[in-house]
Amino acid sequence: MIDTPLAPQDLGPSKGLHTISLLSSDERLQGRPKLCSDCGLCDSALKTRMSSACLFVRNQTTEIEQRLHGRTRRPDDELHFGIHRAQYAARMRHPNPKAQWTGIVTALGARLLEQDQVEAVITTGAAPGTRFKSEPVLARTPAEVLATAGNKPCLSPTLCLLDQVRDQGIRRLAVIGTSCQVHMLRALEPELGLETLFVIGIPCSDNVTYPDLEYFLTQVSRSPQTIVHYEFMQDFSLWIRHEDGRKERVNFIDFPMDKLHGIFPSSCLSCFDYPNALADLTIGYMGATLGWQWVLVRTALGAELFERIRPELELGELTSRGDRRRGMPHYIQRLTQPPGSKRPPFLVRQLVAYLQRTRGPKGLEFARAIIEMKLLRNLNYVRSQFPRFEARVVPAHVYQTLEPYADNYQAVFGRPLAPQAEV
Ligand SMILES: Cc1cc2nc3c(=O)[nH]c(=O)nc-3n(C[C@H](O)[C@H](O)[C@H](O)COP(=O)(O)OP(=O)(O)OC[C@H]3O[C@@H](n4cnc5c(N)ncnc54)[C@H](O)[C@@H]3O)c2cc1C
């Protein structure tokens, strides 16, 4: 039995944007830092290490990259995508129909168990009776990993399973996780006593709590109860599939932002790692064209992971079209509007959606555009809501990535993009 979302009138965002805790009513989260993505670390015995691992206390991206790669990012695409040694457009030759895309992530997790490379895989399944409520799973068999295919597009306390890993004496582990989970894991990796750790990352942005996910679906779909799959696509629209195979498509510009105001947790609005740069391998889609997945191989272990799944992949071509920099001044201007403003009139929205679809950036340029937009939006969010946190939670590469817009930023906001060195 799949649970059905409540009627829209019964729901609302769990909090206002200015509320700083994740779900102020959730007792489990009390005593957590002001910015918390509920990664699960604080549900484990490692809670005592939170202050030295949590990216919302101190973002350690630069130090961790230095440890993993022996260097910092090059001033090219690595500023946007993170350090990588190769990238591919790929898809499974035999796609898993239950997967979010073609199922590279869960197939890889399953192979690692089959080939006895690991004893367990930490992954995220759906809570019983739901389609989308996340439930962390310590998979010990390939079938258990495959059963977790598909996104559970809400925050998941995945790292709580590190206690079970320790209790079960597991020394060879793979973890599939979002960027915040991966940051915590990497920060504590030297202390975990693992012989092998494979980190398979998925890109992540604007995640929400499960109640807010239910609310979101009531706002964007005519039939939220019957949704079996949805994805934010590279054509600037949300594609939704229903139980009976029916499809809906909603342009991003048509989202009722005035009603969605407040659903995104402060933590996700203070995150600067959309492409999951600290993983061994990132598997997403946003740098590839429709129908393909985007694979970034980062470390030597990532290269080993890729070789394990390569025989099952069809490889395509990564392309890049359009010029993201043309639209960015408009975007910077839009950031001055109060959050939750009403959307533009229908005809304007139609025109914008058409232009985004036909003239908007494509392929790798789409990924660069969307990453820059989120970096800018989140930098502004931190500056307006948590100004004292900026020096601790905004990594240095953010200012470097956004440098081409520094004059524009200064003109619109009347302050420099990058913090000025103290004299
Ligand atoms: C909230 C969210 C936002 C995302 N946003 C983007 C994006 O903007 N751009 C982009 O390129 N990719 C994004 N992704 C990743 C993308 O949607 C696919 O998950 C990825 O490409 C893998 O597809 P697949 O078919 O190989 O995965 P599958 O084989 O279907 O496996 C999916 C894997 O995702 C894991 N997973 C599912 N839900 C969660 C969760 N809540 N927390 C942690 N792990 C989870 C499962 O454990 C499973 O292992 C996002 C994923 C999530 C969960």
Side-chain angles (χ1 to χ4, degrees), residues 322-337:
D323 179 3
R324 70 191 185 283
R325 294 193 182 175
R326 277 197 322 204
M328 214 50 83
H330 300 287
Y331 182 75
I332 294 175
Q333 194 64 49
R334 265 185 29 219
L335 287 174
T336 60
Q337 290 174 8

Side-chain angles (χ1 to χ4, degrees), residues 320-378:
S320 185
R321 277 199 291 130
D323 179 3
R324 70 191 185 283
R325 294 193 182 175
R326 277 197 322 204
M328 214 50 83
H330 300 287
Y331 182 75
I332 294 175
Q333 194 64 49
R334 265 185 29 219
L335 287 174
T336 60
Q337 290 174 8
S341 299
K342 277 213 170 305
R343 56 191 179 184
F346 177 72
L347 284 178
V348 175
R349 298 203 310 270
Q350 292 287 95
L351 178 66
V352 171
Y354 170 78
L355 291 175
Q356 283 180 328
R357 233 188 341 268
T358 53
R359 312 236 179 110
K362 303 266 184 307
L364 292 170
E365 188 70 353
F366 173 83
R368 292 181 198 107
I370 206 106
I371 288 170
E372 283 179 354
M373 286 160 80
K374 297 292 161 76
L375 291 180
L376 267 166
R377 184 200 62 183
N378 291 9

Side-chain angles (χ1 to χ4, degrees), residues 43-277:
D43 291 322
S44 78
L46 291 162
K47 180 175 182 170
T48 52
R49 309 290 297 118
M50 180 276 291
S51 63
S52 55
C54 181
L55 80 156
F56 301 115
V57 174
R58 191 171 67 84
N59 190 305
Q60 297 169 53
T61 300
T62 311
E63 294 98 305
I64 297 172
E65 284 184 332
Q66 189 71 44
R67 165 156 55 88
L68 290 177
H69 304 282
R71 64 178 178 87
T72 52
R73 298 182 186 200
R74 294 198 185 98
D76 52 23
D77 265 350
E78 286 193 351
L79 288 179
H80 294 78
F81 303 157
I83 297 177
H84 55 279
R85 51 183 73 195
Q87 54 177 330
Y88 302 92
R91 58 188 177 203
M92 294 295 290
R93 286 183 196 282
H94 303 289
N96 173 353
K98 299 228 166 83
Q100 185 64 20
W101 282 76
T102 69
I104 304 178
V105 168
T106 38
L108 182 54
R111 291 307 161 265
L112 288 174
L113 281 163
E114 274 164 20
Q115 298 166 6
D116 195 29
Q117 294 303 304
V118 296
E119 296 153 88
V121 177
I122 291 185
T123 180
T124 303
T130 76
R131 272 201 188 97
F132 294 129
K133 186 171 186 191
S134 57
E135 184 167 272
V137 173
L138 184 65
R140 303 294 300 251
T141 66
E144 284 169 355
V145 183
L146 293 173
T148 66
N151 282 0
K152 273 55 70 175
C154 54
L155 301 171
S156 173
T158 300
L159 297 183
C160 68
L161 292 175
L162 289 173
D163 278 355
Q164 286 186 38
V165 169
R166 185 204 55 217
D167 294 347
Q168 295 179 26
I170 293 163
R171 303 284 310 280
R172 293 174 297 128
L173 178 71
V175 176
I176 299 168
T178 56
S179 11
C180 52
Q181 297 161 355
V182 168
H183 182 289
M184 317 293 176
L185 187 67
R186 285 298 194 199
L188 293 180
E189 184 178 359
E191 304 172 31
L192 295 178
L194 294 169
E195 201 178 290
T196 310
L197 174 64
F198 291 108
V199 183
I200 303 168
I202 51 177
C204 181
S205 165
D206 298 349
N207 212 342
V208 291
T209 61
Y210 184 62
D212 284 338
L213 168 66
E214 289 187 294
Y215 170 74
F216 169 75
L217 295 179
T218 65
Q219 297 304 306
V220 293
S221 171
R222 283 189 289 273
S223 173
Q225 297 87 343
T226 57
I227 296 175
V228 290
H229 183 276
Y230 70 85
E231 188 60 277
F232 298 84
M233 299 297 276
Q234 302 99 316
D235 65 354
F236 296 87
S237 72
L238 176 69
W239 291 17
I240 300 173
R241 200 173 69 238
H242 293 273
E243 282 163 354
D244 60 1
R246 224 167 10 97
K247 291 180 180 154
E248 274 182 286
R249 211 175 78 182
V250 188
N251 297 319
F252 295 164
I253 186 88
D254 288 327
F255 285 1
M257 290 316 289
D258 51 334
K259 302 213 176 82
L260 298 178
H261 179 53
I263 70 167
F264 301 115
S266 318
S267 51
C268 296
L269 294 169
S270 308
C271 165
F272 297 91
D273 188 12
Y274 196 166
N276 210 326

